Amino acid sequence: MRQVWWNGKIIPESEARISIYDSAFMFGDTCFEMTRSFNKEHFKLDEHLERLMKSVKCLRIPMRESYINTLRFVCEEIIYKNKDEFKEDDEYRLMIDVTRGLLPRYEQVGSLGTNVIVSIFPLRWATKGLGKYFDTGIPCFTPSQRQIPAQLLDPKIKHRSRMHFRMALNEGEWPLLLDPDGFISEGPGYNFFIVKEGLVTSTEPRNILRGISREYIYEIYDFVEENIEPYDVYDADEAFITGTPFCMLPVTSLNGIQIGDGKPGIMYGALLDMWSKNVGVDIQKQIQDWDNV
Amino acid sequence: MRQVWWNGKIIPESEARISIYDSAFMFGDTCFEMTRSFNKEHFKLDEHLERLMKSVKCLRIPMRESYINTLRFVCEEIIYKNKDEFKEDDEYRLMIDVTRGLLPRYEQVGSLGTNVIVSIFPLRWATKGLGKYFDTGIPCFTPSQRQIPAQLLDPKIKHRSRMHFRMALNEGEWPLLLDPDGFISEGPGYNFFIVKEGLVTSTEPRNILRGISREYIYEIYDFVEENIEPYDVYDADEAFITGTPFCMLPVTSLNGIQIGDGKPGIMYGALLDMWSKNVGVDIQKQIQDWDNV
Amino acid sequence: MRQVWWNGKIIPESEARISIYDSAFMFGDTCFEMTRSFNKEHFKLDEHLERLMKSVKCLRIPMRESYINTLRFVCEEIIYKNKDEFKEDDEYRLMIDVTRGLLPRYEQVGSLGTNVIVSIFPLRWATKGLGKYFDTGIPCFTPSQRQIPAQLLDPKIKHRSRMHFRMALNEGEWPLLLDPDGFISEGPGYNFFIVKEGLVTSTEPRNILRGISREYIYEIYDFVEENIEPYDVYDADEAFITGTPFCMLPVTSLNGIQIGDGKPGIMYGALLDMWSKNVGVDIQKQIQDWDNV
Amino acid sequence: MRQVWWNGKIIPESEARISIYDSAFMFGDTCFEMTRSFNKEHFKLDEHLERLMKSVKCLRIPMRESYINTLRFVCEEIIYKNKDEFKEDDEYRLMIDVTRGLLPRYEQVGSLGTNVIVSIFPLRWATKGLGKYFDTGIPCFTPSQRQIPAQLLDPKIKHRSRMHFRMALNEGEWPLLLDPDGFISEGPGYNFFIVKEGLVTSTEPRNILRGISREYIYEIYDFVEENIEPYDVYDADEAFITGTPFCMLPVTSLNGIQIGDGKPGIMYGALLDMWSKNVGVDIQKQIQDWDNV
Amino acid sequence: MRQVWWNGKIIPESEARISIYDSAFMFGDTCFEMTRSFNKEHFKLDEHLERLMKSVKCLRIPMRESYINTLRFVCEEIIYKNKDEFKEDDEYRLMIDVTRGLLPRYEQVGSLGTNVIVSIFPLRWATKGLGKYFDTGIPCFTPSQRQIPAQLLDPKIKHRSRMHFRMALNEGEWPLLLDPDGFISEGPGYNFFIVKEGLVTSTEPRNILRGISREYIYEIYDFVEENIEPYDVYDADEAFITGTPFCMLPVTSLNGIQIGDGKPGIMYGALLDMWSKNVGVDIQKQIQDWDNV
Amino acid sequence: MRQVWWNGKIIPESEARISIYDSAFMFGDTCFEMTRSFNKEHFKLDEHLERLMKSVKCLRIPMRESYINTLRFVCEEIIYKNKDEFKEDDEYRLMIDVTRGLLPRYEQVGSLGTNVIVSIFPLRWATKGLGKYFDTGIPCFTPSQRQIPAQLLDPKIKHRSRMHFRMALNEGEWPLLLDPDGFISEGPGYNFFIVKEGLVTSTEPRNILRGISREYIYEIYDFVEENIEPYDVYDADEAFITGTPFCMLPVTSLNGIQIGDGKPGIMYGALLDMWSKNVGVDIQKQIQDWDNV
């Protein structure tokens, strides 16, 4: 069974459970990161940990800044401890959570203080059923549920107070939430891009989580950040989303209106190829193979 | 040790923990209720359970409507099972949580499906340190953090995606959150009232949790619901909050500006007396006694 | 063939066409009314004409106030002229349109000035396919498209600049548009009501067309006007819509969430019965019979 | 008499009329384009037709994408057919309208389906009375009526649901509508620019129709897009508007406050000269001559 | 020459000047009241002084609550001292200002501390030119300038940070400012009422100064408070404004659209008569006589 | 005693007082500038005067454009006249105010017309107590009071209707007001900057006074203008404010959350050094020396 790091202890995954009196459970008061590997090598782990430290700071969860070094070590350790639980063609997915801990009024129930939890599981859990979308593209829609904007609860902090994402998912698969100004923000777990005449544009970084995968696109190709409205999507040549587990998936329609020629775009394909080449993994093939097992 | 009801099993409180892969932990995707007793008799348990069923419905957590009958029974049972854990002068506080359960992609970690959890603990945990405020009144303030309005995530659903409450508490004790229109909504766990020339007014029931204690005021005295602005509070004769653990507490200033004569109000006192009489418990004395032990 | 009144002339329906250079075509710059009969007797014709005059005034379309008398006469006349075009079991549906007329710059194309058009057709055209909903109720949804609020273009004026209604209909059948504040406004051609513990509530009359059918409910039963949010609908015992062609139809779900027991409500049934009795027509039967021919 | 193309037929202009049961009349449910010629040569016809196809797509009016080729041909045809109706010093103005057609419930009245209409008339109709403004400049004002923003009904779609433009015109000539955020959007039929220290700035392209004339300025001079507030206009050296019939007109005051030295600006003059030279027509002279006939 | 009370001293009116380093001058940081007499008897002086004390409290200008007694005395005194400066047919107009005083950093310039100033002048200064409107009614308009809403700077506090009123007046005479939600709020110095079928309605008391004259209407006739939109005004039978100097004036058009029959209304007349009778002054005649001198 | 220029007269500072019937006092209807010298040499006086003329124009205070030349002369004159009132180590601080003058209805009290006032005092009055912040940095906070946005009353006009600044200061020292969209605007008298990885960013210039000191940073270093949210500040390496009296001060925390390492930043120091060098005054030392006298 997989093992989990919990405040310095190694416990079995089935025991990795948080008290119902923890602020995490009570208020959605957790910040977290989820990573992936390529060929079992960490991808952008430092970037994830740095973003986590920012979230911790903004939420004022007590944790010293240098703790990031411990976390680096813990991640290595937890991978090592669990390596036999993974198949040869697996990739790692780490989940790192930090909670404020038991609310003080429940101190009789357990010990107080910040909880740090690092767990791991096969990435294929998170990509299940996605393989086909590399070929067909995703049909997105703008739900009635709007994004909670930064001035009310900042999505740039990767927190777990995200019921609005569940509400959007209740309306259908692959929602793209509009923010209160009517601009596209993000979906639950993915950022959004359009391509028009070779120009790659992503949403303004205001009312979104600034995804590590989104940032990675910068490394392989320049893009600009603009307010994107549904009209811009209908007018685009292509569109895609980015997210850690699947890296990139093409979007071929919004609200039933076809984008470009309704097929995965050329720029999308080129970027995915570049990404695959850079990390030494055929991203699309890997995920499709997992689906076809 | 206290015992908890968990999906039909009785487990020790220390084991009442939720998987880190549960939607509750992942998304703040829980709805819940917390009750109290007077002289160890349930207060408004049915109202709490009915509100819970509404929350469940709005969040589309799978649960049959008739489950409310089970819950009634479970609450009785869990009180009975734990009765020896309570002192003679204790009151019960039940916590009833419903979560969507493990996210399907983590099915290897445990079993899927709705989780229902009923736990219990002494009410005095929740009233600790409040005793003095019956005499001095509470100094409230309007934080920079605004309430998330109903159209983005409805606070009338008693959910646990409430990081914004933590953010408000980070700014200071006793916040009264303004909604995006600048009207007073609520605090984390309490509703708000003002009194002016004998007229009792509470906030419009739009951007708040419609508290059971708030509703109870209706039973003992008529009040009206209006948009309340800070000006109205400065102009009021008195103000108070309601919340399940403490029932009612006077508010004697807002943002450092004195309300009325700066002392607990006459109407407040009369309503608290009536409430105490109705339930056969001197509410103020009980809480102050607990603090003085 | 049906005949149409057009600025004082009687013309065949197929000729009832407006210049492509008319302000009506150019700007959606028309105000209008559509009525119905019961047993071929006018229903609330005066109320419709009075509302039309208000629309004319707000849009500043040049027309003298006393013109309402002419219109009363014209409506009678046009019914009389067309009576042989209607079957015995038909009802009349009048459409009265007022446009600002040809834009002055196109004066060479025709004559300038206000256009008044009164046409008529069988009501069954407008109720086609609705019969079944009296039994099953309507499944409404809140589209991503929001209502244009009164401060931008007042829906209390019955105008024809209503592309946003088409956009909502593009998202699905039976939309209930939220206004920018997240309150339910109306659908394309119908007002909305909920019933809870015997209390009938309709939307605030701000961001809606104040329907004649909606007003008629006042005559047979008291109702209150409140901001209605989706939560209130989920929490209601029943819900219904009103509109001239069908009078009243039950709403049994919103966004897939069942309202009450998911069947047409008791209050709804009682009001429809009263209405039917008052006008001497079994409203439901008539529409269902037309569908079953 | 001028001839109009109507769904493949050529009909006289006086017959170019749309049924009162057409969605165009009923909902303002039309998209359209209006062009001009220079020396009777088309200007940017392709750009107009491409924008039309985008509008068609966003409104989901059924029409195959390749129809643009037909439209190119039809425009040529309709000019040819009407060429004898134009004087030697005339310019052409094409109007191309696409409507969703008769609402299905009125199918007895005519045939269903998309309507495509191409008509033509002398440009001088649209420029009548504008000649003097090339010398004096236009006095603009910000009306109380605000622009309907893209998130409620996208002005980037060139539709005919534009009552709010009529309402603005009811307040006075030459309105510049503020959007709900207080930024200048556009007037009914024109885009807006300011010039400050040689820098040409136009409004952000969000809450406006992205005019073909506006785009043409790009071809002859670089400009930037920014949110423009009244303050920026008062602070500018010069200002102008662009629109197809008149190309460019200077704006010399806003709300009675003089812009720059209150005369048509130098940059304005230079751009108009360049435009005139590029198209081989003295734009100002042509329009002033028409006015002086 | 008229004498002014200034922090306990009596000084000539021409000396009643505030330092350019006073917070009043620097920040518009003053609260104030302006009253009137009928037959040289105070009208509602206590209400004015109580409202002043509320403003002082909300602005946190240091002043003890009991100071209201001093102010009552001072007002009497200042009237007495100046009585010979008034003609027999004059009425008194008191102006009472409270400022925070010299900003501490300018302490070398003068003495610090709250400034209280009571001055007096003939009411006819404030009513000059208004006489004719009793007969013709006022033509109001909704300016582009919006009201600053309570959540940004509360107009219920009678302060002097009111540049937006000047900006509205720059657009024309008799503005009625819309608040950011598009509801009518108030004009610079007057509240607004409509009458429809005998029902008198005033604006919601949220984004307005709650005028003493407005409150007085309550004493002579019941009215309701509702959000009022321009549509409601166009649809009303009559309209009027209230303000201390003129008491009540009829409004006969809004934005050029006639209200009712375009003449001062019956209800208006009745209320003004009642008011005149109650105070023993023919209000209309007095003001018109002053204009006719 | 210091002398003040008042509409062409030289009067003693203690007489520099404005009538309580002036529009300045009545409406906060003043625009103004405040300057500073370095080594008793004017700094950016022309820029201040030009901005003043813009404010005058936007407020429509009657004043001819060429008056700026007079003002230049007056400033020189008033410095000269007062030079003996300043110590050797003093710097000058000019205050230039323009008011609309006595409201016409009070014409008996004095003469009507624009008032222009130029006064002068030692800069050290304005920097008192600030010395220590050069070392410790300023702890800023975001108050509940929001900035009044440009569309309601434009802060780009340097006016004196600024009660909202006083309200923010009532909440605490060093407020940074959020605008209604949740972006940082400015504090009472200072603009805001952040530095991240060498990139200097200031707020968008929309809802702020565009400070002369802020503009000066452009001259010594490039910066970009972006919407800045609290998150961006928490994520920054350093932050600072600019204002005329103190030039630049470091900001080391926001809402109690440390910025960077919590000490004055490197970029801040470098810019201040450059500024000091450019003007030949050790800015920090000068202010600290004044504090230490």
Side-chain angles (χ1 to χ4, degrees), chain A residues 54 57-58 60 65 150-151 154 156-157 206 210, chain F residues 146 180-181 183 229 231-232 234-235 255 257-258:
Chain A
K54 278 188 218 169
K57 184 182 184 185
C58 291
R60 297 170 188 241
E65 270 188 59
Q151 76 155 305
D154 202 323
K156 293 187 281 295
I157 303 167
R206 188 170 59 251
R210 295 169 181 173
Chain F
R146 296 283 175 108
D181 294 316
F183 301 125
E229 298 174 292
Y231 181 89
D232 301 314
Y234 304 146
D235 187 35
N255 295 325
I257 295 181
Q258 180 180 303

Side-chain angles (χ1 to χ4, degrees), chain B residues 175-192:
Chain B
L176 276 178
L177 285 82
L178 300 177
D179 72 12
D181 293 317
F183 301 124
I184 288 172
S185 60
E186 62 184 352
Y190 40 91
N191 292 124
F192 184 69

Side-chain angles (χ1 to χ4, degrees), chain E residues 84-95:
Chain E
D84 298 340
E85 304 290 332
F86 287 78
K87 299 188 196 158
E88 199 177 324
D89 72 338
D90 266 343
E91 297 285 4
Y92 299 129
R93 184 141 169 81
L94 286 167
M95 180 166 92

